[in-house]
Short mmCIF file of all heavy atoms in Angstrom, two decimals:
data_model
loop_
_atom_site.label_atom_id
_atom_site.label_comp_id
_atom_site.label_asym_id
_atom_site.label_seq_id
_atom_site.Cartn_x
_atom_site.Cartn_y
_atom_site.Cartn_z
N LEU A 80 -5.43 0.11 -2.34
CA LEU A 80 -6.32 0.85 -3.26
C LEU A 80 -5.60 1.21 -4.56
O LEU A 80 -6.15 1.07 -5.65
CB LEU A 80 -6.85 2.11 -2.59
CG LEU A 80 -8.03 1.95 -1.65
CD1 LEU A 80 -8.31 3.26 -0.93
CD2 LEU A 80 -9.26 1.49 -2.40
N LEU A 81 -4.36 1.68 -4.44
CA LEU A 81 -3.60 2.05 -5.63
C LEU A 81 -3.33 0.83 -6.50
O LEU A 81 -3.44 0.89 -7.73
CB LEU A 81 -2.29 2.74 -5.24
CG LEU A 81 -2.45 4.14 -4.65
CD1 LEU A 81 -1.15 4.61 -4.00
CD2 LEU A 81 -2.90 5.12 -5.71
N LEU A 82 -2.98 -0.29 -5.87
CA LEU A 82 -2.75 -1.52 -6.65
C LEU A 82 -4.04 -2.01 -7.30
O LEU A 82 -4.03 -2.47 -8.44
CB LEU A 82 -2.17 -2.61 -5.75
CG LEU A 82 -0.71 -2.44 -5.37
CD1 LEU A 82 -0.30 -3.50 -4.35
CD2 LEU A 82 0.18 -2.50 -6.59
N TRP A 83 -5.15 -1.93 -6.58
CA TRP A 83 -6.43 -2.35 -7.13
C TRP A 83 -6.78 -1.49 -8.35
O TRP A 83 -7.21 -2.01 -9.38
CB TRP A 83 -7.52 -2.22 -6.06
CG TRP A 83 -8.78 -2.97 -6.38
CD1 TRP A 83 -9.56 -2.84 -7.49
CD2 TRP A 83 -9.40 -3.96 -5.57
NE1 TRP A 83 -10.64 -3.68 -7.42
CE2 TRP A 83 -10.56 -4.37 -6.24
CE3 TRP A 83 -9.12 -4.51 -4.33
CZ2 TRP A 83 -11.42 -5.33 -5.72
CZ3 TRP A 83 -9.98 -5.46 -3.83
CH2 TRP A 83 -11.11 -5.86 -4.52
N ASN A 84 -6.60 -0.18 -8.22
CA ASN A 84 -6.87 0.72 -9.35
C ASN A 84 -5.91 0.45 -10.50
O ASN A 84 -6.29 0.57 -11.67
CB ASN A 84 -6.79 2.18 -8.91
CG ASN A 84 -7.96 2.57 -8.04
OD1 ASN A 84 -9.04 2.02 -8.15
ND2 ASN A 84 -7.73 3.53 -7.16
N PHE A 85 -4.66 0.10 -10.19
CA PHE A 85 -3.71 -0.25 -11.24
C PHE A 85 -4.22 -1.44 -12.04
O PHE A 85 -4.24 -1.41 -13.27
CB PHE A 85 -2.34 -0.59 -10.61
CG PHE A 85 -1.33 -1.11 -11.60
CD1 PHE A 85 -0.60 -0.22 -12.37
CD2 PHE A 85 -1.12 -2.47 -11.76
CE1 PHE A 85 0.33 -0.69 -13.29
CE2 PHE A 85 -0.20 -2.94 -12.67
CZ PHE A 85 0.53 -2.05 -13.43
N PHE A 86 -4.65 -2.49 -11.35
CA PHE A 86 -5.12 -3.69 -12.05
C PHE A 86 -6.49 -3.47 -12.70
O PHE A 86 -6.80 -4.12 -13.71
CB PHE A 86 -5.14 -4.90 -11.12
CG PHE A 86 -3.75 -5.40 -10.84
CD1 PHE A 86 -3.19 -5.24 -9.58
CD2 PHE A 86 -3.00 -5.99 -11.82
CE1 PHE A 86 -1.91 -5.68 -9.31
CE2 PHE A 86 -1.71 -6.44 -11.58
CZ PHE A 86 -1.17 -6.29 -10.32
N ASP A 87 -7.31 -2.56 -12.16
CA ASP A 87 -8.56 -2.21 -12.83
C ASP A 87 -8.30 -1.55 -14.18
O ASP A 87 -9.09 -1.69 -15.11
CB ASP A 87 -9.41 -1.26 -11.97
CG ASP A 87 -10.26 -2.00 -10.95
OD1 ASP A 87 -10.34 -3.25 -11.03
OD2 ASP A 87 -10.84 -1.33 -10.08
N ASN A 88 -7.21 -0.80 -14.26
CA ASN A 88 -6.88 -0.07 -15.48
C ASN A 88 -5.80 -0.77 -16.31
O ASN A 88 -5.17 -0.13 -17.15
CB ASN A 88 -6.41 1.35 -15.12
CG ASN A 88 -7.53 2.17 -14.57
OD1 ASN A 88 -8.55 2.34 -15.20
ND2 ASN A 88 -7.36 2.67 -13.35
N ILE A 89 -5.58 -2.04 -16.08
CA ILE A 89 -4.48 -2.75 -16.74
C ILE A 89 -4.64 -2.76 -18.26
O ILE A 89 -3.66 -2.66 -18.99
CB ILE A 89 -4.34 -4.18 -16.19
CG1 ILE A 89 -2.96 -4.74 -16.49
CG2 ILE A 89 -5.38 -5.12 -16.70
CD1 ILE A 89 -1.95 -4.49 -15.46
N ASN A 90 -5.86 -2.83 -18.74
CA ASN A 90 -6.08 -2.84 -20.19
C ASN A 90 -6.76 -1.57 -20.68
O ASN A 90 -7.18 -1.51 -21.83
CB ASN A 90 -6.92 -4.05 -20.58
CG ASN A 90 -6.18 -5.34 -20.39
OD1 ASN A 90 -4.98 -5.42 -20.64
ND2 ASN A 90 -6.87 -6.36 -19.91
N LYS A 91 -6.88 -0.57 -19.82
CA LYS A 91 -7.60 0.64 -20.18
C LYS A 91 -6.64 1.81 -20.28
O LYS A 91 -5.71 1.79 -21.06
CB LYS A 91 -8.70 0.94 -19.15
CG LYS A 91 -9.75 -0.15 -19.01
CD LYS A 91 -10.70 0.19 -17.90
CE LYS A 91 -11.59 -1.00 -17.55
NZ LYS A 91 -12.33 -0.80 -16.34
N SER A 92 -6.87 2.79 -19.47
CA SER A 92 -6.14 4.05 -19.51
C SER A 92 -4.69 3.87 -19.05
O SER A 92 -4.43 3.43 -17.94
CB SER A 92 -6.84 5.07 -18.62
OG SER A 92 -6.04 6.21 -18.47
N THR A 93 -3.77 4.26 -19.91
CA THR A 93 -2.36 4.18 -19.56
C THR A 93 -2.00 5.18 -18.48
O THR A 93 -1.26 4.86 -17.55
CB THR A 93 -1.49 4.45 -20.82
OG1 THR A 93 -1.84 3.51 -21.82
CG2 THR A 93 -0.02 4.34 -20.50
N LYS A 94 -2.56 6.39 -18.55
CA LYS A 94 -2.23 7.43 -17.58
C LYS A 94 -2.65 7.02 -16.16
O LYS A 94 -1.87 7.13 -15.22
CB LYS A 94 -2.89 8.74 -17.97
CG LYS A 94 -2.53 9.90 -17.10
CD LYS A 94 -3.19 11.20 -17.59
CE LYS A 94 -2.83 12.36 -16.70
NZ LYS A 94 -3.46 13.60 -17.15
N LYS A 95 -3.88 6.52 -16.01
CA LYS A 95 -4.35 6.09 -14.68
C LYS A 95 -3.53 4.92 -14.17
O LYS A 95 -3.18 4.85 -12.99
CB LYS A 95 -5.82 5.70 -14.74
CG LYS A 95 -6.77 6.85 -14.82
CD LYS A 95 -8.20 6.36 -14.79
CE LYS A 95 -9.17 7.51 -14.92
NZ LYS A 95 -10.57 7.05 -14.91
N ARG A 96 -3.22 3.99 -15.06
CA ARG A 96 -2.44 2.81 -14.66
C ARG A 96 -1.06 3.23 -14.17
O ARG A 96 -0.62 2.80 -13.11
CB ARG A 96 -2.33 1.83 -15.83
CG ARG A 96 -1.60 0.56 -15.47
CD ARG A 96 -1.47 -0.41 -16.64
NE ARG A 96 -0.66 0.16 -17.69
CZ ARG A 96 -1.10 0.35 -18.94
NH1 ARG A 96 -2.32 0.05 -19.27
NH2 ARG A 96 -0.31 0.86 -19.85
N VAL A 97 -0.40 4.10 -14.91
CA VAL A 97 0.95 4.54 -14.54
C VAL A 97 0.91 5.33 -13.23
O VAL A 97 1.75 5.11 -12.35
CB VAL A 97 1.57 5.37 -15.68
CG1 VAL A 97 2.85 6.06 -15.23
CG2 VAL A 97 1.84 4.49 -16.89
N LEU A 98 -0.05 6.24 -13.09
CA LEU A 98 -0.14 7.02 -11.85
C LEU A 98 -0.40 6.14 -10.64
O LEU A 98 0.20 6.34 -9.57
CB LEU A 98 -1.22 8.10 -11.97
CG LEU A 98 -0.90 9.27 -12.90
CD1 LEU A 98 -2.10 10.20 -13.01
CD2 LEU A 98 0.31 10.03 -12.40
N ASN A 99 -1.28 5.15 -10.79
CA ASN A 99 -1.55 4.24 -9.68
C ASN A 99 -0.35 3.35 -9.39
O ASN A 99 -0.05 3.08 -8.22
CB ASN A 99 -2.79 3.40 -9.95
CG ASN A 99 -4.06 4.19 -9.75
OD1 ASN A 99 -4.34 4.68 -8.68
ND2 ASN A 99 -4.83 4.33 -10.82
N GLY A 100 0.34 2.90 -10.41
CA GLY A 100 1.53 2.08 -10.20
C GLY A 100 2.64 2.85 -9.49
O GLY A 100 3.23 2.37 -8.53
N LEU A 101 2.90 4.06 -9.97
CA LEU A 101 3.92 4.89 -9.32
C LEU A 101 3.50 5.29 -7.91
O LEU A 101 4.33 5.36 -6.99
CB LEU A 101 4.22 6.13 -10.16
CG LEU A 101 4.89 5.87 -11.51
CD1 LEU A 101 5.04 7.17 -12.29
CD2 LEU A 101 6.23 5.19 -11.34
N GLY A 102 2.21 5.54 -7.72
CA GLY A 102 1.70 5.87 -6.39
C GLY A 102 1.88 4.72 -5.41
O GLY A 102 2.28 4.92 -4.26
N ALA A 103 1.61 3.50 -5.87
CA ALA A 103 1.77 2.33 -5.00
C ALA A 103 3.24 2.13 -4.64
O ALA A 103 3.57 1.85 -3.48
CB ALA A 103 1.22 1.08 -5.69
N ILE A 104 4.13 2.30 -5.61
CA ILE A 104 5.57 2.17 -5.33
C ILE A 104 6.02 3.25 -4.35
O ILE A 104 6.76 2.98 -3.41
CB ILE A 104 6.38 2.24 -6.65
CG1 ILE A 104 6.09 1.02 -7.51
CG2 ILE A 104 7.88 2.34 -6.36
CD1 ILE A 104 6.61 1.13 -8.93
N THR A 105 5.54 4.47 -4.55
CA THR A 105 5.91 5.58 -3.66
C THR A 105 5.39 5.34 -2.25
O THR A 105 6.13 5.54 -1.27
CB THR A 105 5.36 6.91 -4.22
OG1 THR A 105 5.85 7.11 -5.54
CG2 THR A 105 5.75 8.07 -3.33
N MET A 106 4.14 4.92 -2.11
CA MET A 106 3.59 4.67 -0.78
C MET A 106 4.33 3.53 -0.08
O MET A 106 4.59 3.61 1.12
CB MET A 106 2.09 4.36 -0.86
CG MET A 106 1.23 5.55 -1.22
SD MET A 106 1.44 6.96 -0.13
CE MET A 106 0.82 6.32 1.39
N LEU A 107 4.68 2.49 -0.83
CA LEU A 107 5.44 1.40 -0.24
C LEU A 107 6.80 1.89 0.24
O LEU A 107 7.25 1.53 1.34
CB LEU A 107 5.61 0.24 -1.23
CG LEU A 107 6.36 -0.97 -0.70
CD1 LEU A 107 5.62 -1.59 0.48
CD2 LEU A 107 6.57 -1.98 -1.81
N ALA A 108 7.43 2.74 -0.55
CA ALA A 108 8.72 3.31 -0.14
C ALA A 108 8.57 4.16 1.11
O ALA A 108 9.41 4.11 2.02
CB ALA A 108 9.33 4.13 -1.27
N LEU A 109 7.50 4.95 1.18
CA LEU A 109 7.27 5.77 2.37
C LEU A 109 7.03 4.90 3.61
O LEU A 109 7.49 5.25 4.70
CB LEU A 109 6.09 6.72 2.15
CG LEU A 109 6.33 7.85 1.15
CD1 LEU A 109 5.05 8.65 0.93
CD2 LEU A 109 7.46 8.75 1.61
N VAL A 110 6.35 3.78 3.43
CA VAL A 110 6.17 2.88 4.56
C VAL A 110 7.52 2.26 4.95
O VAL A 110 7.83 2.13 6.14
CB VAL A 110 5.11 1.79 4.26
CG1 VAL A 110 5.05 0.75 5.37
CG2 VAL A 110 3.75 2.42 4.07
N PHE A 111 8.34 1.92 3.97
CA PHE A 111 9.69 1.42 4.28
C PHE A 111 10.50 2.46 5.05
O PHE A 111 11.18 2.11 6.01
CB PHE A 111 10.45 1.05 3.00
CG PHE A 111 10.44 -0.41 2.70
CD1 PHE A 111 9.68 -0.91 1.66
CD2 PHE A 111 11.20 -1.30 3.43
CE1 PHE A 111 9.67 -2.25 1.36
CE2 PHE A 111 11.20 -2.65 3.15
CZ PHE A 111 10.43 -3.14 2.11
#
Side-chain angles (χ1 to χ4, degrees):
L80 279 172
L81 290 167
L82 286 173
W83 196 304
N84 288 332
F85 174 83
F86 287 110
D87 275 351
N88 292 303
I89 200 91
N90 292 321
K91 300 175 191 169
S92 170
T93 302
K94 185 178 179 181
K95 285 183 182 180
R96 183 181 64 239
V97 170
L98 289 176
N99 284 299
L101 293 176
I104 293 168
T105 303
M106 289 305 294
L107 181 62
L109 290 175
V110 173
F111 260 107

